[in-house]
């Protein structure tokens, strides 16, 4: 599906599965300061878009995880919807929106990670990608987890890095 004439193509891979894996920097992002160090391993599985989502750009449902390697790691498990917008045949932007749960023990006053306030959070993701082949892709990816100020504390959590995907 093309919008804005033939310049941007949405839903190019909406009928395909995709597995993504990557390595990211812990507590690194555009919405908050970097206070802690570590590594995050990210994995995500995208499913074909069901027909009823076509009116909103045919986003693909996804499930994923961020597994942190840090002094006192917090891991995230998330699910939601992902939209892709191809600017050329191979270069694209992606955005995702969903919900997440995490493993943090102290939600209000931790000392080795940011206070998340709630057990259930919103998940946002953004990437710039390039298709190496029809099936293989590489992305610069960032994600953000937040309670949107619905709980007493909202330190948020972020990670940014690179990941590789394979479509089938």
């Amino acid at each position: 599906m093309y919008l804005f004439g033939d310049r941007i193509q949405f839903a190019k891979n909406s009928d395909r599965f995709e597995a993504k894996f990557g390595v990211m920097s812990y507590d690194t992002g555009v919405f908050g300061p970097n206070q802690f160090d570590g590594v995050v391993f990210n994995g995500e599985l995208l499913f074909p878009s069901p027909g009823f989502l076509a009116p909103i750009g045919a986003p693909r449902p996804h499930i994923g995880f961020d597994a942190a390697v840090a002094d006192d790691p917090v891991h995230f498990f998330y699910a939601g919807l992902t939209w892709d917008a191809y600017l050329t045949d191979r270069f694209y932007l992606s955005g995702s929106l969903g919900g997440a749960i995490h493993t943090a023990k102290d939600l209000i006053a931790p000392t080795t990670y940011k206070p998340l306030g709630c057990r259930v959070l919103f998940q946002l993701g953004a990437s710039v990608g390039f298709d190496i082949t029809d099936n293989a892709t590489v992305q610069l990816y960032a994600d953000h987890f937040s309670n949107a100020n619905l709980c007493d504390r909202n330190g948020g959590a972020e990670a940014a890095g690179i990941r590789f995907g394979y479509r089938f």
Side-chain angles (χ1 to χ4, degrees), residues 42-121:
N42 172 265
E44 195 170 279
L45 180 62
L46 288 88
F47 301 91
S49 182
F52 69 89
L53 293 177
I56 61 169
R60 293 186 290 166
H62 68 257
I63 57 171
F65 67 88
D66 275 11
V69 179
D71 290 338
D72 190 7
V74 177
H75 310 299
F76 296 87
F77 304 93
Y78 60 89
L81 298 173
T82 298
W83 288 263
D84 294 329
Y86 275 78
L87 306 178
T88 70
D89 286 343
R90 292 181 171 204
F91 180 72
Y92 63 95
L93 305 174
S94 289
S96 62
L97 173 64
I101 58 172
H102 61 85
T103 62
K105 296 176 192 117
D106 186 344
L107 300 178
I108 305 302
T111 58
T112 56
Y113 51 86
K114 293 178 181 172
L116 299 172
C118 300
R119 180 68 52 204
V120 177
L121 304 173

Side-chain angles (χ1 to χ4, degrees), residues 20-45:
K20 298 178 185 180
F21 296 97
V23 176
M24 303 190 301
S25 175
Y26 183 74
D27 192 31
T28 300
V30 296
F31 297 108
N34 182 335
Q35 295 175 328
F36 303 100
D37 294 323
V39 173
V40 172
F41 293 101
N42 172 265
E44 195 170 279
L45 180 62

Side-chain angles (χ1 to χ4, degrees), residues 2 32 38 58 70 121 126 130 132 144 161:
Y2 282 99
L121 304 173
F130 181 80
I132 300 165
H144 175 76

